[in-house]
Amino acid sequence: MTALSPTIRIPPPQHEPDLLAGAVLRSLTRPLYRRVSVGPLLALLASVISGGVLPLLLLPRWLRDLIAQEQQQLWHLAEWMRLQSGDVEAADLQPLSQQVRFNIPLALLTWSCCGTALAVFFAHFSERSLTPGELGRFVFSVPRGPAPLLYVVAISAAAVLHWIHVVWHQLNVERYIRYFNHLMLRQQQPELPLPTLELGLRPVWIALGVGLSAAGGLWGLPLMLAAAAHRRYTTRSSVRQRAELAERLRAMLLQRRPMMLVPRPISVMRTCIRPNCRATIPTVANFCPRCGTRALAPAMEVVA
């Protein structure tokens, strides 16, 4: 009589819940409760008050917080695909999730440019009185002299570096989604739409940047473009992508385990974008039933 091998795995009954899948669903739909971006008016105010330095000190830190959560969520999804999808190619998704990471050299370069601008500022005013007129001529006027020119170059370089950082991260996420779509085709599931690359070319942000540049702050336009790309990705693209990934996971669970009740996560349901409302919005509605705010377009529905 042959003894049973202890390495043989007995698959769980279909009616039992998939705890790992439930954890992945909750992870994908978990919001980031701390601030990760600012709107155009607040970005403009912070730029005017600090000469463009304060937003560029905060934006890389906020991007780091968002990337840390996204990397964890995408890794959990890749782990579930590797363990439960039954696809031998699913193991290649994990290395792609590890590529979704915070670019420390780009962030350090951004902060170094901000530090250079601050050093130039204090060195310039160590020999002059810090009056409103002199401050305005230094920060918000066409550079006349090496110190103001170096300040403009440093702030503009920091803004361009952060813009590159945001775009670089989006390309890493797109690479992950492309391979995830390849796995979806093998699982006979619909593909996710590829994310739109957010470059910050938004009318309001461009107008504010042009206004700052016209007022003499030549660093204003690159700063506003970087802040716009950051804002659009963190509040729109990232949220939509994670909701669609959660929907695909839910569809696979319904396909593979038809006897198991797979509830739709509340975060995948549309909620009002106003922080003081957050009411659930029906699928067919275009406005919040509680406060009347226009709702975001729903993620693609999956029919199981």
Side-chain angles (χ1 to χ4, degrees):
M1 182 175 180
T2 305
L4 292 176
S5 172
T7 60
I8 295 178
R9 296 179 58 189
I10 301 176
Q14 286 192 334
H15 64 275
E16 290 188 1
D18 189 334
L19 299 180
L20 177 58
V24 174
L25 276 174
R26 288 191 296 271
S27 176
L28 284 171
T29 56
R30 184 176 69 247
L32 191 64
Y33 293 102
R34 64 178 66 93
R35 179 185 291 276
V36 292
S37 65
V38 292
L41 295 181
L42 191 55
L44 176 65
L45 179 62
S47 300
V48 171
I49 292 175
S50 64
V53 175
L54 181 59
L56 292 171
L57 289 175
L58 294 176
L59 287 174
R61 179 182 176 183
W62 290 339
L63 185 62
R64 180 194 61 190
D65 294 340
L66 178 69
I67 291 176
Q69 177 170 315
E70 284 187 345
Q71 183 186 38
Q72 182 186 58
Q73 293 167 342
L74 297 180
W75 187 90
H76 286 158
L77 177 59
E79 180 70 3
W80 183 89
M81 293 289 294
R82 183 181 69 86
L83 295 175
Q84 303 293 340
S85 68
D87 192 338
V88 294
E89 295 187 11
D92 295 332
L93 191 62
Q94 273 194 331
L96 294 177
S97 69
Q98 294 171 356
Q99 293 180 13
V100 180
R101 65 185 187 277
F102 183 66
N103 193 316
I104 296 178
L106 276 178
L108 291 178
L109 285 174
T110 303
W111 287 324
S112 298
C113 290
C114 293
T116 301
L118 289 174
V120 170
F121 177 86
F122 287 115
H124 179 78
F125 283 101
S126 64
E127 304 172 353
R128 297 171 177 81
S129 58
L130 186 59
T131 62
E134 186 67 24
L135 179 62
R137 284 189 293 272
F138 182 83
V139 178
F140 296 103
S141 64
V142 178
R144 295 183 177 87
L149 179 60
L150 184 56
Y151 183 88
V152 170
V153 170
I155 295 296
S156 300
V160 171
L161 286 169
H162 184 71
W163 182 87
I164 293 174
H165 197 169
V166 174
V167 173
W168 179 82
H169 173 65
Q170 293 180 71
L171 293 176
N172 287 337
V173 174
E174 181 181 346
R175 192 178 301 114
Y176 179 97
I177 292 178
R178 284 184 183 275
Y179 194 80
F180 184 82
N181 282 340
H182 167 69
L183 298 178
M184 288 298 96
L185 291 178
R186 293 170 61 87
Q187 296 287 331
Q188 299 180 352
Q189 293 289 339
E191 294 181 308
L192 271 73
L194 291 178
T196 303
L197 195 62
E198 297 292 351
L199 302 177
L201 302 177
R202 310 301 301 174
V204 174
W205 292 88
I206 292 176
L208 293 178
V210 171
L212 275 175
S213 299
L218 302 182
W219 42 264
L221 184 57
L223 173 56
M224 286 298 156
L225 289 178
H230 180 105
R231 173 75 171 180
R232 290 286 300 182
Y233 177 75
T234 55
T235 60
R236 301 281 179 155
S237 298
S238 176
V239 175
R240 182 180 296 274
Q241 290 164 18
R242 288 182 282 123
E244 289 171 345
L245 287 170
E247 285 285 7
R248 294 304 184 277
L249 174 58
R250 179 174 179 271
M252 283 189 289
L253 287 172
L254 290 173
Q255 182 184 49
R256 294 167 57 84
R257 304 169 68 91
M259 296 178 61
M260 183 180 70
L261 178 61
V262 184
R264 181 186 298 269
I266 186 65
S267 296
V268 176
M269 298 181 186
R270 290 189 301 164
T271 57
C272 181
I273 60 176
R274 291 186 60 182
N276 60 345
C277 180
R278 296 299 187 188
T280 301
I281 300 176
T283 304
V284 297
N286 294 323
F287 297 90
C288 174
R290 178 183 295 172
C291 66
T293 303
R294 178 176 288 276
L296 297 177
M300 182 180 296
E301 293 292 332
V302 177
V303 179

